[in-house]
Amino acid sequence: MSEIEQLKQQVEAQGGVVRQLKADKADKASIDEQVKILLSLKDKLRIASGEPASSGKSAKSFSLKTPKGTKDYTAKEMSVRSQIFSTITSVFEKHGAVTIDTPVFELKEILTGKYGEDSKLIYDLKDQGGEECSLRYDLTVPFARHVAMNGISNIKRFQIAKVYRRDQPAMTKGRMREFYQCDYDIAGQYDAMIPDAECVRVAVEVLTSLDVGSFVIKLNHRKILDAIFEVSGVPDDKIRTISSAVDKLDKLPWADVKKEMTEEKGLDEAVADKIGEYVRLSGREELLDKLRALPELMASTKAQEGVADMELFFKYAKIYNILDYVSFDMSLARGLDYYTGIIYEAVLTEENVRPTEAQPTATGAKEVKEGGEIDESQVRVGSIAAGGRYDELVGMFSAARRGGKAKGKNSNVPCVGISFGVERIYSVVMSRMQAETIKANKTQVYVISLRDGLIEERLKIATELWDAGIPAEFMYKVKPRLQSQYNTCDQEVIPWAVLIGSDEVASGNVKIKNMAAKVEGEEGGVTIKRSDMIAELKSRLDL
C-alpha cells in the first residue's frame, strides 16, 4: 500500500473518531484534540500528493485554555491565597511543627494499594528511564515513605504542596484535578489520643482563624466501624468497599447507600439493614453510652478499643476547649485504606442552613437534638479538612524496604494527621470579599509628582523609602498625569502617598497624604520636612 493510500485511510479513520465524539456530545477539549490530529493528517496527505499544505492556521490552532480541573490565579486571588497559607502555617508552627518537601511524583508502587477505591484516580506517568511513576495523590503517603526511608522515629511536620487526582472536576464546588493540600502530621510512639486530640485542636484553630463560618468536625473510629461490619456479617473481603459506600451517607440518603451495598456490591440485604441501625447514630460524648449498651457490638475487642480511645478523646477535647465543634458520627468512614484509628472530617454548615431551620450554635457546631442526634436540617456543605490515625503505613514501607517483615525500633512509626483542602477554603473566603478591596501587592507608599514630572526626585525618594524597608512605588513616566497617579493608588489599594512639586523641592519639604481615607484637615496632605519623612511614615504605618 502506497504512502498516499495509508494516509487516506488514516484521515478517514480519524474523521470517524471526530464524528463519533461529536455524536456522543463529548467535551470540547477532547473534540479539539482529535480535530487537531485530523488536520495534521490532512496536511501530510496534501504534501504527499504534491499539493501545498494548508496555511497552517488550522493545523496549528489550539485551545487557549487551562486543562480541565485546573485554573490560573490572578494577582488579587494569589494575595488572598497567600494570606490563607500564611494563616495556616502560623497555626502549624505555633504547635511546634517543622516543614519538609517531597517530590511531586513518586514511584508508582509507593502509591499503589494505599487509597482503596480511590486508587483509580491516581495519575500515572509514562515509563521513563525504567521507572514507573505517578503524580502524588496526597501528601500522607509520601510523608510515610519519607519517615520510613530516613529512619525517623518521631517528627511533627507540615507540608503545603500540590496534589493531583484524575477526577471529574467540578470547579464551582472546589473539586479540581490539581490542588493544594496543607497537611499537619504527628509521627511517633506516644500515649493514646494525646496527639490525636491536638490534631483536631489544630483544625479548630485554623478554621476559626480563617473565619470560614460555621463548621462541625465529624469523628469516628475505624476500629468501631470495623467491629460494626464484623458483627453485622460483612465478609472480610468486602469490608473496605462497604466502608466506602457508608462514607457516602453525608451526600446520599440511606436508601441509595443500601442499594449500592446490595445491588452493586453484592451484600446481603439483612446485613445492610443491620449496618444501617449502627451507622445512622450520631451525637457527642453521650453516644459512647449507647454503644456500651450494645452487648453484641461490645463483645468485639476492636469495639472495646475504639470506645476506650473515643472516651479519652472527649476527655482531652474538653481540656482543649473544642468539644462544641465536634460530632461523633457513625456514618463517617473515610474510604482510604491506611486509616487504623480515629478519623475526622471538617464540614461547613452555615451556607446550607435555610432561614426557617435551626441556626448553628454560637460556637459554630451543629445543634444537637434531645437524645444526642445531630440536627440533620443543617446539611453538609462540603468537606474542608479531613484526616485520622494511620499506624501501619510507615511499617508497611519499612517492611518493603527490608524485603519482608519490618524490623528494628524505627520500623513501625504510628502517625496521626489532618489535611486542609485549600481550594474549598479559598472559595469560601473569596465569596465574602469585594474584589476592589483586595490588595494584590504590599506597596504602602506611592511617590506622586504634583507637576513637572520631577523624575529624579521621585527616584531619590523611592530609594530612601526602600532603604528604610518601606514598600514603595512610583509611575514609570518622566511626566505622569496627576490623575493617573491617583488612579493607581485607588486601583492598587495603596494607602499612603508622598507628594512633591517644585515648591516642596525648593523648600526641602514633602507632603504625606492618606489615600485610603479622608482625614479632616488633611485633604491635600500634610507638609513635613523631607528629613522627617521616613520617621513620619513609619509612625503612620506602625512600622
Side-chain angles (χ1 to χ4, degrees):
M1 184 183 296
S2 69
E3 180 186 1
I4 292 176
E5 289 174 337
Q6 288 180 343
L7 285 169
K8 283 181 178 179
Q9 287 186 3
Q10 290 174 11
V11 167
E12 181 59 33
Q14 187 62 24
V17 171
V18 172
R19 288 191 294 274
Q20 187 61 50
L21 285 173
K22 290 181 177 179
D24 294 342
K25 296 182 178 179
D27 62 271
K28 185 176 182 301
S30 298
I31 295 174
D32 287 346
E33 184 179 352
Q34 297 303 317
V35 167
K36 186 163 61 175
I37 295 172
L38 176 60
L39 292 172
S40 177
L41 288 170
K42 285 183 175 180
D43 252 3
K44 290 180 181 179
L45 178 58
R46 290 190 189 97
I47 293 169
S49 302
E51 300 175 14
S54 65
S55 64
K57 182 178 179 181
S58 296
K60 294 180 181 178
S61 66
F62 55 87
S63 298
L64 196 60
K65 60 185 286 293
T66 60
K68 286 194 303 181
T70 66
K71 75 182 294 289
D72 292 331
Y73 292 96
T74 66
K76 288 195 172 188
E77 289 173 331
M78 281 306 299
S79 176
V80 175
R81 291 171 69 83
S82 295
Q83 291 174 31
I84 291 172
F85 290 142
S86 177
T87 299
I88 294 173
T89 297
S90 67
V91 174
F92 290 166
E93 290 178 337
K94 182 169 67 173
H95 285 261
V98 297
T99 190
I100 66 167
D101 193 21
T102 57
V104 73
F105 53 88
E106 296 274 349
L107 294 177
K108 184 177 179 179
E109 60 187 345
I110 295 291
L111 304 182
T112 301
K114 311 301 189 301
Y115 303 105
E117 293 187 353
D118 286 347
S119 291
K120 62 187 177 183
L121 303 180
I122 295 174
Y123 268 112
D124 292 331
L125 304 176
K126 286 186 177 180
D127 182 347
Q128 296 195 22
E131 291 185 335
E132 290 189 38
C133 297
S134 300
L135 292 177
R136 61 188 174 203
Y137 178 89
D138 66 3
L139 301 178
T140 304
V141 171
F143 169 61
R145 187 266 307 152
H146 173 82
V147 171
M149 193 174 81
N150 292 283
I152 297 170
S153 59
N154 62 77
I155 185 174
K156 187 185 292 186
R157 88 84 168 84
F158 74 91
Q159 185 176 1
I160 298 177
K162 288 182 177 180
V163 298
Y164 300 85
R165 298 186 182 178
R166 196 165 50 86
D167 202 354
Q168 272 303 111
M171 304 294 280
T172 57
K173 297 180 181 179
R175 189 166 73 240
M176 305 173 71
R177 288 178 169 176
E178 177 193 63
F179 56 95
Y180 273 95
Q181 282 189 340
C182 300
D183 279 25
Y184 172 92
D185 293 82
I186 302 172
Q189 295 280 358
Y190 301 108
D191 288 339
M193 305 310 291
I194 298 175
D196 309 65
E198 184 171 345
C199 282
V200 179
R201 165 74 194 200
V202 165
V204 171
E205 286 187 32
V206 166
L207 298 178
T208 52
S209 297
L210 292 171
D211 193 23
V212 296
S214 297
F215 64 90
V216 63
I217 300 177
K218 302 195 309 187
L219 311 165
N220 202 0
H221 201 292
R222 285 305 290 257
K223 288 185 178 180
I224 298 175
L225 198 60
D226 287 347
I228 288 172
F229 293 148
E230 287 177 9
V231 301
S232 298
V234 179
D236 289 345
D237 61 344
K238 289 185 181 292
I239 284 181
R240 285 297 175 254
T241 186
I242 296 303
S243 176
S244 179
V246 168
D247 200 39
K248 296 176 183 176
L249 275 171
D250 59 350
K251 308 180 191 75
L252 300 173
W254 167 249
D256 290 347
V257 172
K258 178 183 175 181
K259 182 178 179 180
E260 178 181 332
M261 290 194 293
T262 55
E263 296 184 14
E264 296 178 24
K265 299 183 174 178
L267 192 68
D268 183 86
E269 187 169 342
V271 174
D273 287 335
K274 198 165 186 180
I275 292 172
E277 295 175 9
Y278 289 108
V279 298
R280 284 181 286 180
L281 295 172
S282 60
R284 289 206 182 106
E285 192 174 10
E286 72 285 344
L287 184 53
L288 291 171
D289 294 330
K290 286 188 178 182
L291 296 179
R292 290 192 195 95
L294 300 172
E296 185 180 21
L297 180 65
M298 294 311 294
S300 165
T301 302
K302 286 183 179 179
Q304 294 170 18
E305 292 173 351
V307 168
D309 276 352
M310 293 306 294
E311 186 174 16
L312 269 178
F313 173 85
F314 281 110
K315 176 182 177 181
Y316 298 144
K318 288 179 183 176
I319 299 171
Y320 278 143
N321 295 322
I322 58 174
L323 197 58
D324 288 341
Y325 292 92
V326 301
S327 159
F328 192 2
D329 192 325
M330 302 303 295
S331 69
L332 180 65
R334 302 291 298 148
L336 303 181
D337 278 0
Y338 52 65
Y339 287 124
T340 58
I342 189 172
I343 49 178
Y344 31 79
E345 184 174 74
V347 296
L348 296 177
T349 58
E350 181 181 81
E351 291 82 358
N352 224 28
V353 179
R354 294 180 288 275
T356 56
E357 295 171 337
Q359 295 297 314
T361 63
T363 58
K366 286 186 177 181
E367 292 282 8
V368 180
K369 294 178 180 178
E370 186 177 351
E373 293 183 2
I374 294 296
D375 185 351
E376 291 302 329
S377 67
Q378 296 187 42
V379 186
R380 164 197 170 112
V381 173
S383 171
I384 52 175
R389 173 159 288 280
Y390 51 104
D391 285 345
E392 299 170 3
L393 195 54
V394 174
M396 184 188 307
F397 286 131
S398 297
R401 182 185 181 188
R402 293 170 173 81
K405 188 175 180 180
K407 298 177 181 178
K409 64 177 182 179
N410 295 336
S411 61
N412 186 38
V413 182
C415 302
V416 64
I418 188 160
S419 177
F420 296 87
V422 172
E423 311 310 330
R424 287 185 176 177
I425 291 173
Y426 162 76
S427 64
V428 171
V429 173
M430 275 297 284
S431 69
R432 297 178 178 179
M433 304 182 76
Q434 295 179 334
E436 61 270 17
T437 66
I438 299 173
K439 185 169 175 57
N441 58 41
K442 302 295 183 182
T443 305
Q444 296 297 310
V445 179
Y446 203 74
V447 185
I448 294 176
S449 61
L450 295 172
R451 63 189 74 87
D452 301 330
L454 300 173
I455 181 62
E456 292 184 12
E457 287 300 322
R458 285 186 286 136
L459 292 174
K460 290 176 183 178
I461 290 174
T463 301
E464 287 181 45
L465 295 171
W466 295 333
D467 288 345
I470 298 174
E473 285 188 87
F474 58 91
M475 187 163 284
Y476 296 157
K477 284 185 174 294
V478 174
K479 291 187 177 181
R481 293 173 55 218
L482 181 60
Q483 191 57 50
S484 296
Q485 296 172 90
Y486 277 14
N487 290 343
T488 299
C489 289
D490 291 339
Q491 293 163 6
E492 302 297 331
V493 199
I494 300 173
W496 292 93
V498 171
L499 300 93
I500 56 168
S502 299
D503 293 343
E504 284 75 21
V505 173
S507 61
N509 295 326
V510 296
K511 286 184 178 180
I512 293 178
K513 179 176 172 58
N514 188 330
M515 306 299 287
K518 292 182 179 180
V519 180
E520 188 175 349
E522 297 185 8
E523 290 82 357
V526 177
T527 300
I528 63 169
K529 286 289 184 182
R530 170 78 172 270
S531 56
D532 296 332
M533 177 184 68
I534 297 299
E536 182 67 23
L537 283 171
K538 284 192 171 184
S539 173
R540 294 187 179 230
L541 291 168
D542 293 326
L543 294 177

